[in-house]
């Protein structure tokens, strides 16, 4: 079946511009995560949704970062007034709900590489 | 605090050699999950294995095997008879808690290059 998809795959923004990154999780997956991966580093957690509820946003680095998942499916990560330090790959992952408990295995999309000039 | 350490930044091996990627973790939780993911040049993280803290049995899947030792807080990954297609960055990750979709804490990754 279809995996997690993300768009755009590449985004170049001028410093100060706003950007929106989209994630389409695997159909039926309840949980959705966003991670930020700097060059040469492991992914770092940004935020987590269970259906449409944003249950954890402790990893968002500043109030310029905002995420939503209004209908419990597609999610958008928005970065306002981008800065050079926002340059990174933004990964989305989704996780199914099995046996009444959330599965801990996360399935990742290909990521969006954001470059801020 | 939780932490995952992958001390090997880069490893190069010649095709058909065996290679072991090390992972050491720290957590105060008694219930946790450990993962390995592969990140090829395309960038997508590919799930390889999940282990829960109550299952210390080693696992083998084809050329891949994993050794989980709670006594040393390690979850090492061995590739037998390596192939060029194994070239990628490999990440070890930890998820804490007794279930539920908890976020993953990743190590910094090990870049494996298999030379033909």
């Amino acid at each position: 079946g279809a995996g997690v998809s993300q768009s755009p795959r590449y985004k170049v923004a001028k410093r100060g511009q706003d950007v929106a990154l989209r994630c389409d999780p695997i159909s039926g997956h309840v949980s959705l995560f966003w991670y930020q991966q700097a060059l040469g580093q492991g992914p770092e957690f940004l935020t987590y949704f269970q259906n449409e509820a944003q249950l954890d946003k402790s990893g968002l680095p500043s109030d310029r970062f905002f995420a939503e998942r209004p209908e419990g499916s597609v999610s958008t990560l928005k970065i306002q007034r981008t800065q050079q330090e926002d340059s990174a790959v933004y990964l989305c992952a989704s996780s199914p709900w099995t046996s009444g408990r959330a599965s801990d295995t996360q399935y990742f999309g290909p990521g969006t590489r954001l470059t801020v000039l | 605090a939780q932490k995952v350490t992958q001390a090997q930044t880069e490893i190069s091996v010649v095709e058909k050699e065996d290679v072991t990627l090390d992972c050491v973790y720290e957590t105060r939780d008694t219930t946790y999950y450990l993962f390995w993911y592969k990140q090829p040049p395309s960038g997508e993280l590919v799930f390889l294995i999940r282990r829960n803290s109550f299952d210390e049995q080693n696992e083998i899947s084809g050329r891949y095997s994993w050794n989980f030792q709670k006594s040393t807080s390690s979850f090492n990954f061995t590739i037998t008879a390596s192939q060029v297609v194994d070239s990628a960055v490999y990440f070890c990750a930890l998820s804490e808690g007794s279930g539920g979709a908890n976020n993953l804490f990743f190590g910094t990754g090990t870049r494996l290059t298999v030379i033909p």
Side-chain angles (χ1 to χ4, degrees):
Chain A
V4 178
S5 61
Q6 294 185 243
S7 61
R9 291 294 313 278
Y10 303 91
K11 177 70 178 177
V12 178
K14 291 183 179 178
R15 189 165 61 94
Q17 283 185 331
D18 298 347
V19 298
L21 312 180
R22 176 187 169 105
C23 172
D24 282 84
I26 294 172
S27 179
H29 276 198
V30 169
S31 298
L32 186 146
F33 300 79
W34 283 98
Y35 292 84
Q36 180 190 59
Q37 186 176 20
L39 189 64
Q41 300 297 314
E44 292 190 356
F45 169 75
L46 293 177
T47 187
Y48 159 58
F49 290 86
Q50 187 178 101
N51 294 307
E52 68 277 5
Q54 189 175 18
L55 299 186
D56 188 344
K57 53 182 180 180
S58 62
L60 296 176
S62 78
D63 58 7
R64 297 185 296 103
F65 286 70
F66 171 76
E68 59 183 6
R69 194 187 185 196
E71 297 179 359
S73 177
V74 171
S75 177
T76 304
L77 176 67
K78 297 179 180 178
I79 309 174
Q80 297 176 326
R81 304 181 304 281
T82 52
Q83 303 295 314
Q84 285 188 323
E85 62 262 29
D86 299 335
S87 296
V89 175
Y90 290 86
L91 294 165
C92 176
S94 70
S95 182
W97 186 276
T98 58
S99 304
R101 298 178 65 192
S103 164
D104 280 306
T105 298
Q106 296 177 27
Y107 299 93
F108 284 80
T112 295
R113 182 177 297 277
L114 172 65
T115 303
V116 181
L117 302 176
Chain B
Q2 62 288 118
K3 188 177 178 182
V4 176
T5 301
Q6 294 180 257
Q8 304 150 310
T9 305
E10 295 190 28
I11 300 177
S12 292
V13 298
V14 177
E15 200 171 20
K16 298 185 183 177
E17 286 184 346
D18 299 347
V19 58
T20 296
L21 310 182
D22 298 334
C23 174
V24 174
Y25 62 92
E26 293 178 32
T27 179
R28 293 178 182 172
D29 278 19
T30 56
T31 301
Y32 52 89
Y33 293 80
L34 295 165
F35 300 79
W36 276 95
Y37 283 87
K38 175 182 180 179
Q39 190 173 44
S42 61
E44 185 167 340
L45 280 164
V46 178
F47 167 74
L48 297 178
I49 190 172
R50 178 185 74 177
R51 253 302 175 254
N52 75 56
S53 52
F54 299 107
D55 183 2
E56 284 194 75
Q57 273 196 329
N58 293 328
E59 183 157 338
I60 298 174
S61 176
R63 296 184 298 106
Y64 295 170
S65 62
W66 290 270
N67 182 274
F68 176 29
Q69 292 197 347
K70 288 179 75 171
S71 60
T72 55
S73 297
S74 65
F75 186 44
N76 297 336
F77 173 31
T78 297
I79 302 174
T80 303
S82 59
Q83 299 177 1
V84 173
V85 294
D86 296 328
S87 296
V89 180
Y90 291 86
F91 289 96
C92 180
L94 165 72
S95 174
E96 294 177 321
S98 56
N102 301 299
N103 56 289
L104 295 170
F105 296 94
F106 285 85
T108 50
T110 297
R111 180 178 298 277
L112 174 66
T113 301
V114 180
I115 303 165

